[in-house]
Amino acid sequence: MSRRRRPNVRLQAPPAWRARAVLALFGVFAVVLCARAFELQVLDREFLVEEGAKRHLRTIDVPAGRGAIRDRRGEPLALSAPTESVWAVPSAVLEAPERIAPLARRLEMDAGELRQRLAEYRDRQFLYLRRQLSPAQARRVMDLEVPGVFLQREYRRYYPAGEAAAQLVGLTDIDGHGQEGLELALDEALHGEAGSRRVIKDRVGRVVEDLAEFTPPRAGRDIRLTVDLRLQYLAYRELKAAVAQHRADGGVVVMLDPATGEVLALASSPSFNPNSRTSIPTGGLRNRAVTDIFEPGSTIKPLLVARALGSGAYSTASEIETDGGSFRVGRLKVSDFRDYGDVDLAELLSKSSNVAAAKIGLDLGAETVWDTYRDFGLGGVTGIRFPGERYGVLRDFYQWGEIATATAAYGYGVSVTALQLARAYAALADDGRLRDLRLVADGGGPRPVAPENRAVAAGAARTVRELLRGVVAPEGTGSRAEIPGYHVAGKTGTVRKVDTDGYALDRHQALFVGMAPADAPRLVTLVMIDEPRDESHYGGIVAAPVFARVMRDALRMLRVPPDAPERLAYTNPDRGDRS
Amino acid sequence: MTGAGQNRRALLIVVLVLANLVGALAVIQAKHRARELQSELQVLRVERDRLKTEWAQLQLEESAWANPDRVARIARERLDMRQPRHYAVLGETP
């Protein structure tokens, strides 16, 4: 066949029997295999399944406890306690049908229902009968010694602060994974690492041998918040009372420490009881302070005035004509509550003149107004990284015309969260330094603020605080925010809500944002009441008294020395002996 | 082979057998000890869990008793206390 010759090799055809023999051998093997398979699969099946089921090499999880969430003083806000869950191997329980009724009784279940569930899942090796029983109740169940019934350790989450901090702390699901609020945001740190044991189990699931392989569980870390539970309770209590009194849709109270950017209280209404999963109303899970945006209205004016002062174009002596209480910008008519005549910056704030604010805004120009709000952190991140936190709406200034500039100057066409607005006021309180807000205590003290995070010159911020004292003076719009013994600086706001067809006539948000003591503020508090349905909906009437009550108690609790002690004597607070 | 050599071999075997025996006993002893420790560990785990549960319950109870609303109510109603209208803060503020 080939041209190269191999003279020594002669190919010889193999004898025919060889191929036949090999084939026959294969045939025998195949038959034996089939027979064996038939024997195992069909004849001995039951016996083998039984034998196999007798011994399982199993890895069981050893659950790890979830870390606690505590307030800044160590009080628990969320705590895990061990509980026992009862589970069963259904087929094993069904083999002892007479035990089902007493078992059901101790589990506080219906016997028929239990039997049905066991039958339904009889092919499973694992079925929860009842989850998260107290250890005592679980022991009573186990005392019955029903075969195939076991306990599994699980952790149940408790929320001692209840509804007062419900949206802030959030929730876990029944398996202990964070679902809402801080439970979700801090899940990685809070949840531990489950350990495992390698064991051999018998048919009914008993552990017959504990193999040496053991990975210990790693418990979750405890987290300490900047929130002070006493202040949180206080804020929530007053908020809840005000929402009920004014038949409002809800509300928010935010309290900040301006020197550190720490969030001291963050209350939201309506709330719910986080310890009972069935009671969660629609919308109750929302932490309105971070997820709801609104137009700040008049509460934005101090930011504008601070910039006007900081730019040097205005001083406290500047007078602005208010044109008889209304003036036109294109199609827009800007109007005041009434004609204030010529106003200076102090009156602009204390009377809350829209006309004067719009004029300053137009004078400064769209870019400067936009820049001001940006510098005060509106439309930006606050730093707390809360799930669902929104940035608000601050459109670019080149989309603004004259009208948008004018409305932005008195707080419309711009949307913020309560937390953003409170942070902007904290910057006014801290001489212009815009700090990142903190919700988790990390042990560090106040951090230096980068120069580019200065919202406004220190002098301008101080002057604005001085001017804002006029708002809380007897003739100002926020006179009800007065606190005996302290000078308060703050601003009211009454905002019309947007309906599908423009601004609603009868739906408002009442706002008050303020700080005390005015000279060197220790606390900044924002109060927002959503849709008060009373005879009055003004920020100065609905929100300011809430601010006063919360701040009065908070200042005393934090032992802030009164800066106007002479005013302690003759003021007569309407609820002096309540609290 | 000499008699002395045979004796030495016998001795060696005896020693080895004895060592073997001691070793076997030691294994039994160690196994027993391991089992004891295992069951002690089990008992301690149960005890730890019980204490954990109790600690969690005590903390929950404490926060229920110390709830500021409750404290304020008792102070007002049962102890007839009032909030100070006039006060001065003495010393350093925290």
Side-chain angles (χ1 to χ4, degrees), chain A residues 21-60:
Chain A
V22 169
L23 216 59
L25 211 59
F26 278 141
V28 170
F29 283 151
V31 168
V32 168
L33 271 178
C34 285
R36 181 66 180 149
F38 180 78
E39 188 190 354
L40 292 177
Q41 291 290 326
V42 182
L43 301 180
D44 290 344
R45 184 187 159 81
E46 228 159 285
F47 169 76
L48 288 171
V49 166
E50 185 107 340
E51 283 297 304
K54 274 181 188 162
R55 306 170 192 84
H56 302 278
L57 189 59
R58 283 280 170 86
T59 305
I60 4 184

Side-chain angles (χ1 to χ4, degrees), chain A residues 158-405:
Chain A
Y158 293 93
Y159 300 101
E163 60 175 30
Q167 301 89 352
L168 173 65
V169 176
L171 283 176
T172 64
D173 61 15
I174 194 165
D175 293 313
H177 304 295
Q179 276 202 312
E180 299 281 345
L182 289 175
E183 290 272 37
L184 176 60
L186 305 172
D187 196 44
E188 204 159 311
L190 287 169
H191 90 80
E193 199 98 41
S196 63
R197 281 159 68 197
R198 289 281 280 177
V199 297
I200 295 177
K201 287 186 169 183
D202 70 359
R203 191 171 52 83
V204 292
R206 265 191 310 254
V207 173
V208 282
E209 197 177 339
D210 214 334
L211 302 178
E213 293 170 60
F214 177 71
T215 320
R218 190 182 59 76
R221 266 200 303 134
D222 281 12
I223 300 272
R224 198 169 273 235
L225 302 184
T226 59
V227 168
D228 187 325
L229 188 56
R230 297 173 305 172
L231 301 178
Q232 178 75 24
Y233 265 116
L234 167 65
Y236 179 71
R237 184 188 67 207
E238 295 300 340
L239 174 65
K240 189 181 178 187
V243 166
Q245 183 198 336
H246 298 287
R247 287 176 291 128
D249 271 5
V252 171
V253 173
V254 179
M255 192 183 287
L256 304 178
D257 179 347
T260 58
E262 289 175 333
V263 178
L264 297 175
L266 197 60
S268 181
S269 168
S271 193
F272 62 94
N273 177 4
N275 293 306
S276 142
R277 270 154 212 291
T278 50
S279 75
I280 300 169
T282 45
L285 283 169
R286 232 164 62 225
N287 188 340
R288 288 165 174 254
V290 297
T291 61
D292 286 19
I293 58 174
F294 55 88
E295 290 170 297
S298 305
T299 53
I300 215 169
K301 289 172 187 164
L303 313 184
L304 186 78
V305 168
R307 181 57 174 259
L309 286 164
S311 70
Y314 290 82
S315 76
T316 48
S318 307
E319 294 268 319
I320 301 137
E321 292 173 22
T322 61
D323 302 358
S326 77
F327 91 125
R328 291 199 156 272
V329 184
R331 289 180 292 105
L332 174 78
K333 185 176 166 222
V334 183
S335 51
D336 281 340
F337 189 65
R338 59 180 176 83
D339 179 8
Y340 298 120
D342 291 357
V343 298
D344 59 16
L345 294 181
E347 285 169 309
L348 184 164
L349 292 173
S350 67
K351 308 291 185 206
S352 204
S353 166
N354 291 338
V355 173
K359 284 194 164 182
I360 292 180
L362 290 171
D363 182 31
L364 293 175
E367 185 173 354
T368 308
V369 174
W370 180 85
D371 208 38
T372 305
Y373 295 168
R374 205 73 205 165
D375 285 350
F376 273 105
L378 307 188
V381 291
T382 59
I384 65 162
R385 286 185 225 106
F386 199 88
E389 183 179 2
R390 294 180 63 183
Y391 297 155
V393 181
L394 184 61
R395 284 181 304 140
D396 275 328
F397 61 88
Y398 56 76
Q399 297 175 18
W400 291 6
E402 290 253 287
I403 292 180
T405 310

Side-chain angles (χ1 to χ4, degrees), chain A residues 70 75-76 79-82 135 153 155 158 160 197 210 214 230 233 237 486 522 552-553 556 558-562 568-569 572-573 576-579, chain B residues 38 42 45 48-50 52-53 55-57 59-60 62-64 66-69 72 76 81-94:
Chain A
R70 295 176 184 281
E75 299 293 331
L79 206 59
S80 285
R153 153 91 2 129
Y155 286 88
Y158 293 93
R197 281 159 68 197
D210 214 334
F214 177 71
R230 297 173 305 172
Y233 265 116
R237 184 188 67 207
Y486 298 90
R522 287 281 308 275
R552 187 193 63 197
D553 287 0
R556 192 172 40 76
L558 296 179
R559 310 210 315 139
V560 177
L568 279 171
N572 181 22
D577 47 357
R578 233 213 79 178
S579 169
Chain B
Q38 188 78 31
Q42 203 53 46
R45 269 191 201 142
R48 180 196 61 190
D49 289 349
R50 195 186 60 74
K52 260 191 184 168
T53 312
W55 171 229
Q57 273 162 359
Q59 286 184 85
L60 290 170
E62 191 215 348
S63 58
N67 179 328
D69 285 344
R76 257 197 321 275
M81 293 170 85
R82 277 158 196 255
Q83 273 194 32
R85 298 263 181 95
H86 315 245
Y87 60 87
V89 176
L90 303 176
E92 288 295 302
T93 55

Side-chain angles (χ1 to χ4, degrees), chain A residues 454-501:
Chain A
R454 175 166 282 285
V456 71
R462 277 196 285 270
T463 309
V464 170
R465 291 208 302 270
E466 189 65 32
L467 298 179
L468 285 176
R469 281 172 58 176
V471 175
V472 189
E475 65 281 2
T477 54
S479 57
R480 290 175 195 228
E482 189 195 39
I483 306 167
Y486 298 90
H487 291 300
V488 175
K491 183 74 191 81
T492 57
T494 308
V495 189
R496 278 192 185 168
K497 288 180 79 171
V498 182
D499 260 345
T500 42
D501 47 344

